[in-house]
Amino acid sequence: MADPAHDLEFTHKYALDRDCTTLSRHVLQQLHSFSTDAQDLSALMNRIALAAKLVARRLNRSGLVEDALGFTGRTNVQGEEVKRMDVYANQVFISAFEQSGLVCRLASEEMENPYYIPENCPIGRYTLLYDPIDGSSNVDINLNVGSIFAIRRQEGEDLDGTAADLLQNGHQQIAAGYVLYGPTTMLVYSIGQGVHAFTLDPSLGEFILSSENIQVPAHGPVYSVNEGNFWQWDDSIRDYIRYVHRHEGYTARYSGALVGDFHRILFQGGVFVYPGTVKNPEGKLRLLYESAPLAFLMEQAGGRASTGTQDIMDVIPDRIHTRTPLVIGSQDDVALVESFIQERTREQDVMLKHP
Ligand code: AHM
Ligand code: MG
């Protein structure tokens, strides 16, 4: 005779790999509320998940679909060549949010000025900042890329359409995260209550909770930096690199996509460094939609993010596309890089006082 208790146990054990916590349920659980704010955040994350699924779908078939790979022939506001996938992903986020009634504008790496939700669409009170395809040099060779996002509440007036009210520090972010398009598609987010990772189950079409309350180790073996820029850097960064070369226990990893390198460090510890160079003293990475969202996550995971001299979260940008040097990762490893910068600064101060 069938044993219902046994059947139940069997179902529990084999039918579900996990307890299938979806992203929207997780957001609501974290906020312990069904208030308007909580519903909004849950809906915002749902829209981001939708955009992520659309981008993932296109990436998964990119070698087979016409016009998915390669360059458009245009350069963006940063002077960088635009890839077709950049344009596609940028538009996907706009389409996912345009009719949502959640945001009033979207600002991205690919647009000189924010995109304002047209008046014939419902207008919300949040702004989405995003890098639609981070690490786009990886797209054409089928390596991992990502999307980075942050959500800010509209605080001031933006009457002249310059979005000057967005020029505030990272503490104004109410949520941030990234999507990693790798062997699986993962969405990692924080709404200021820890960092949580979700894996896209393609058979369900849902992001399912895969790691909760991720904590970055205080120290890790990885240093992630483009050493091709060695002679472009300040002496202090060269000092740091010489240090890790001469000491045991360090290993280099650099994928060309910040999201992938960050993801490794978030889970295994270490440090990602993109310093200023002679040509670009502020480095390459943009504050509002790359460094600040990842700094928010890293701090939530118990790590740190710094320009080398200041916490990334405290930096106030002077433009939407402001860049900052970035040192991000485990507490001890960020502190080590900073110590080399401080040492050189001290030496320069002494030289100035006693030439
Ligand atoms: P992108 O968003 O235009 O792709 O640029 C950002 C990327 C990061 O993902 C990556 O860490 C960095 O640029 C790599 O730059 P480089 O080739 O100078 O090392
Ligand atoms: Mg980027």
Side-chain angles (χ1 to χ4, degrees), residues 25 47 89 98 192 199 267 295-296 315:
R25 192 172 114 201
R47 290 278 148 177
E98 193 156 46
T199 299
F267 279 83
F296 184 89
V315 178

Side-chain angles (χ1 to χ4, degrees), residues 109 131-136 146 148 258 284-286 289-290:
E109 178 176 327
D131 180 358
I133 296 285
D134 174 67
S136 46
I148 308 175
L258 171 62
K284 179 176 184 190
L285 302 170
R286 275 68 41 134
Y289 42 81
E290 290 179 323

Side-chain angles (χ1 to χ4, degrees), residues 76 78 80-81 86 109-110 131 133-138 148 225-227 229 254-261 272 274 284-286 289-290:
N76 66 11
Q78 335 272 339
E80 296 157 350
E81 289 185 280
D86 290 324
E109 178 176 327
E110 298 305 328
D131 180 358
I133 296 285
D134 174 67
S136 46
S137 77
N138 281 6
I148 308 175
V225 63
N226 184 347
E227 287 196 50
N229 293 332
Y254 192 75
S255 74
L258 171 62
V259 165
D261 293 325
F272 176 95
Y274 206 113
K284 179 176 184 190
L285 302 170
R286 275 68 41 134
Y289 42 81
E290 290 179 323

Side-chain angles (χ1 to χ4, degrees), residues 24-42 191 193:
S24 43
R25 192 172 114 201
H26 194 259
V27 177
L28 291 172
Q29 271 173 0
Q30 287 219 314
L31 292 167
H32 303 293
S33 150
F34 285 94
S35 66
T36 316
D37 281 355
Q39 301 277 4
D40 279 355
L41 259 182
S42 171
I191 52 173
Q193 306 203 18

